[in-house]
Amino acid sequence: MKNLSTLNKMIYSINLMVAFILLLAFSLPFLPPKTYSILSVLNLGVPFLILCNVLFFLYWLFRVKKQLIVSLIVLVFGQLMFGSLYKFSSSKKIESPNNFKVMNYNVRLFNLFEWIPEQDVKTKIIDFIKKESPDILSIQDYHPRKDGALGFFKYKYEYLSGKKIKHGQAIFSQFPIINKGSVNFPNTSNNAIFADVVKGKDTIRIYNVHLESLRINTQIDSLKKEKSERLFNRIETSFRMQQFQTELLLIHKAQCKYKMVICGDFNNTAFSYVYRKIKGDLNDTFIEAGNGFGRTYDFKFFPVRIDYIFADEAFAVNGFKAYNEHYSDHYPIMATLSLDE
């Protein structure tokens, strides 16, 4: 640092701190939130920390300074461990007669309380789903429609709770559903449900997982008004609940004898403990066939991916798409899969 100006010394000090925090965040997927709940909050900031380190690296690169090595090492480590935040490759699209499409979508009760100030948002959601025509649809924050608008699916499984306003999760399918059920997360309206569908000669287990919400208002003005201590306490509690819910899901999953697809809103990033545990040996379809940031949640300042479709290694991942339709606080995603019959 001897040859650095006073300003650059300050910048490098900040660089070291941000690089260390990112390195610490990269270790969190291996640490149970019940034990390290305070540190687990860093999961949410990983995309921002990565972008900061990219900017630091570019800053030193343009000045031809060896200080670039700090951020470079941390970014390369993250790339080797988790892959990049942004996928530069083009989205894969392979046609096959065995292809079938799986969509995941948190529809936020079909805009029941008019969070989005537009006309006929619920109709736009239904029209969008019908246009994209997934063979299997996994929905979180589902509110039943009396008009039978999703009646173009041949089979469905709805799991609802609530007295005044029925809500929950649903799985719709063009393939026969021969078995269905709930994992039952205690003391929450969140849950994981499953349906066993028959496609050709194969039975496939579809999980629809909705882990505990962090209950964060992502509008910056609201975040500024909330006391940081109360915000952190709520996030810590939610992370601990997410771990418990994940453990229940893994016990249930271990008893399944079928090839499986796990869809859901995990309310956590791909740099989290729950993501790593649920994914296990399954393939993240975005990593296999997607491109870009794969954003699934409406956060103002940087892209966040908290909704996923995982597929058994027996499936070929022939396509993935993250949509930009803004009819909810989440964006829909769809994977194209195939299984040799």
Side-chain angles (χ1 to χ4, degrees), residues 188-200:
T188 181
S189 60
N190 293 72
N191 197 17
I193 63 173
F194 70 91
D196 295 334
V197 305
V198 176
K199 181 184 183 298

PDB file of all heavy atoms in Angstrom, residues 188-200:
ATOM      1  N   THR A 188     -47.217 -22.493  10.894  1.00  0.00           N
ATOM      2  CA  THR A 188     -47.032 -21.564   9.786  1.00  0.00           C
ATOM      3  C   THR A 188     -48.042 -21.881   8.694  1.00  0.00           C
ATOM      4  O   THR A 188     -48.583 -22.988   8.628  1.00  0.00           O
ATOM      5  CB  THR A 188     -45.606 -21.670   9.207  1.00  0.00           C
ATOM      6  OG1 THR A 188     -45.463 -20.730   8.140  1.00  0.00           O
ATOM      7  CG2 THR A 188     -45.321 -23.069   8.690  1.00  0.00           C
ATOM      8  N   SER A 189     -48.287 -20.909   7.837  1.00  0.00           N
ATOM      9  CA  SER A 189     -49.135 -21.155   6.668  1.00  0.00           C
ATOM     10  C   SER A 189     -48.317 -21.640   5.484  1.00  0.00           C
ATOM     11  O   SER A 189     -48.875 -22.018   4.452  1.00  0.00           O
ATOM     12  CB  SER A 189     -49.891 -19.873   6.283  1.00  0.00           C
ATOM     13  OG  SER A 189     -48.982 -18.837   5.972  1.00  0.00           O
ATOM     14  N   ASN A 190     -46.992 -21.642   5.601  1.00  0.00           N
ATOM     15  CA  ASN A 190     -46.127 -22.176   4.557  1.00  0.00           C
ATOM     16  C   ASN A 190     -46.121 -23.694   4.613  1.00  0.00           C
ATOM     17  O   ASN A 190     -46.431 -24.285   5.649  1.00  0.00           O
ATOM     18  CB  ASN A 190     -44.708 -21.640   4.708  1.00  0.00           C
ATOM     19  CG  ASN A 190     -44.623 -20.151   4.453  1.00  0.00           C
ATOM     20  OD1 ASN A 190     -45.072 -19.352   5.267  1.00  0.00           O
ATOM     21  ND2 ASN A 190     -44.052 -19.769   3.329  1.00  0.00           N
ATOM     22  N   ASN A 191     -45.735 -24.333   3.518  1.00  0.00           N
ATOM     23  CA  ASN A 191     -45.834 -25.785   3.487  1.00  0.00           C
ATOM     24  C   ASN A 191     -45.087 -26.337   2.275  1.00  0.00           C
ATOM     25  O   ASN A 191     -44.609 -25.591   1.422  1.00  0.00           O
ATOM     26  CB  ASN A 191     -47.310 -26.201   3.422  1.00  0.00           C
ATOM     27  CG  ASN A 191     -47.520 -27.660   3.791  1.00  0.00           C
ATOM     28  OD1 ASN A 191     -46.647 -28.291   4.388  1.00  0.00           O
ATOM     29  ND2 ASN A 191     -48.666 -28.204   3.440  1.00  0.00           N
ATOM     30  N   ALA A 192     -44.998 -27.658   2.218  1.00  0.00           N
ATOM     31  CA  ALA A 192     -44.547 -28.373   1.024  1.00  0.00           C
ATOM     32  C   ALA A 192     -45.593 -29.426   0.703  1.00  0.00           C
ATOM     33  O   ALA A 192     -46.054 -30.144   1.599  1.00  0.00           O
ATOM     34  CB  ALA A 192     -43.184 -29.024   1.257  1.00  0.00           C
ATOM     35  N   ILE A 193     -46.003 -29.494  -0.543  1.00  0.00           N
ATOM     36  CA  ILE A 193     -46.955 -30.512  -0.975  1.00  0.00           C
ATOM     37  C   ILE A 193     -46.309 -31.323  -2.094  1.00  0.00           C
ATOM     38  O   ILE A 193     -45.277 -30.929  -2.657  1.00  0.00           O
ATOM     39  CB  ILE A 193     -48.291 -29.901  -1.436  1.00  0.00           C
ATOM     40  CG1 ILE A 193     -48.086 -29.006  -2.670  1.00  0.00           C
ATOM     41  CG2 ILE A 193     -48.936 -29.107  -0.297  1.00  0.00           C
ATOM     42  CD1 ILE A 193     -49.392 -28.501  -3.284  1.00  0.00           C
ATOM     43  N   PHE A 194     -46.923 -32.442  -2.429  1.00  0.00           N
ATOM     44  CA  PHE A 194     -46.380 -33.259  -3.513  1.00  0.00           C
ATOM     45  C   PHE A 194     -47.511 -33.916  -4.295  1.00  0.00           C
ATOM     46  O   PHE A 194     -48.631 -34.086  -3.797  1.00  0.00           O
ATOM     47  CB  PHE A 194     -45.434 -34.336  -2.970  1.00  0.00           C
ATOM     48  CG  PHE A 194     -46.118 -35.436  -2.203  1.00  0.00           C
ATOM     49  CD1 PHE A 194     -46.544 -36.594  -2.849  1.00  0.00           C
ATOM     50  CD2 PHE A 194     -46.356 -35.314  -0.846  1.00  0.00           C
ATOM     51  CE1 PHE A 194     -47.184 -37.619  -2.153  1.00  0.00           C
ATOM     52  CE2 PHE A 194     -46.992 -36.325  -0.127  1.00  0.00           C
ATOM     53  CZ  PHE A 194     -47.409 -37.486  -0.787  1.00  0.00           C
ATOM     54  N   ALA A 195     -47.207 -34.262  -5.532  1.00  0.00           N
ATOM     55  CA  ALA A 195     -48.118 -35.030  -6.370  1.00  0.00           C
ATOM     56  C   ALA A 195     -47.297 -35.987  -7.216  1.00  0.00           C
ATOM     57  O   ALA A 195     -46.255 -35.605  -7.759  1.00  0.00           O
ATOM     58  CB  ALA A 195     -48.943 -34.105  -7.263  1.00  0.00           C
ATOM     59  N   ASP A 196     -47.738 -37.227  -7.292  1.00  0.00           N
ATOM     60  CA  ASP A 196     -47.091 -38.220  -8.142  1.00  0.00           C
ATOM     61  C   ASP A 196     -47.859 -38.298  -9.452  1.00  0.00           C
ATOM     62  O   ASP A 196     -49.052 -38.646  -9.475  1.00  0.00           O
ATOM     63  CB  ASP A 196     -47.066 -39.588  -7.459  1.00  0.00           C
ATOM     64  CG  ASP A 196     -46.215 -39.591  -6.199  1.00  0.00           C
ATOM     65  OD1 ASP A 196     -45.290 -38.757  -6.109  1.00  0.00           O
ATOM     66  OD2 ASP A 196     -46.481 -40.414  -5.292  1.00  0.00           O
ATOM     67  N   VAL A 197     -47.186 -37.935 -10.540  1.00  0.00           N
ATOM     68  CA  VAL A 197     -47.851 -37.902 -11.842  1.00  0.00           C
ATOM     69  C   VAL A 197     -47.291 -39.010 -12.729  1.00  0.00           C
ATOM     70  O   VAL A 197     -46.119 -39.403 -12.606  1.00  0.00           O
ATOM     71  CB  VAL A 197     -47.685 -36.527 -12.524  1.00  0.00           C
ATOM     72  CG1 VAL A 197     -48.179 -35.411 -11.614  1.00  0.00           C
ATOM     73  CG2 VAL A 197     -46.233 -36.270 -12.924  1.00  0.00           C
ATOM     74  N   VAL A 198     -48.132 -39.493 -13.620  1.00  0.00           N
ATOM     75  CA  VAL A 198     -47.732 -40.566 -14.526  1.00  0.00           C
ATOM     76  C   VAL A 198     -47.576 -39.994 -15.928  1.00  0.00           C
ATOM     77  O   VAL A 198     -48.527 -39.455 -16.515  1.00  0.00           O
ATOM     78  CB  VAL A 198     -48.766 -41.706 -14.538  1.00  0.00           C
ATOM     79  CG1 VAL A 198     -48.367 -42.760 -15.573  1.00  0.00           C
ATOM     80  CG2 VAL A 198     -48.869 -42.341 -13.164  1.00  0.00           C
ATOM     81  N   LYS A 199     -46.342 -40.091 -16.442  1.00  0.00           N
ATOM     82  CA  LYS A 199     -46.071 -39.698 -17.822  1.00  0.00           C
ATOM     83  C   LYS A 199     -45.520 -40.913 -18.552  1.00  0.00           C
ATOM     84  O   LYS A 199     -44.421 -41.385 -18.249  1.00  0.00           O
ATOM     85  CB  LYS A 199     -45.060 -38.550 -17.875  1.00  0.00           C
ATOM     86  CG  LYS A 199     -44.764 -38.082 -19.299  1.00  0.00           C
ATOM     87  CD  LYS A 199     -43.683 -37.015 -19.331  1.00  0.00           C
ATOM     88  CE  LYS A 199     -43.465 -36.520 -20.760  1.00  0.00           C
ATOM     89  NZ  LYS A 199     -43.003 -37.590 -21.666  1.00  0.00           N
ATOM     90  N   GLY A 200     -46.288 -41.415 -19.488  1.00  0.00           N
ATOM     91  CA  GLY A 200     -45.879 -42.632 -20.186  1.00  0.00           C
ATOM     92  C   GLY A 200     -45.774 -43.793 -19.218  1.00  0.00           C
ATOM     93  O   GLY A 200     -46.711 -44.104 -18.484  1.00  0.00           O
TER      94      GLY A 200
END
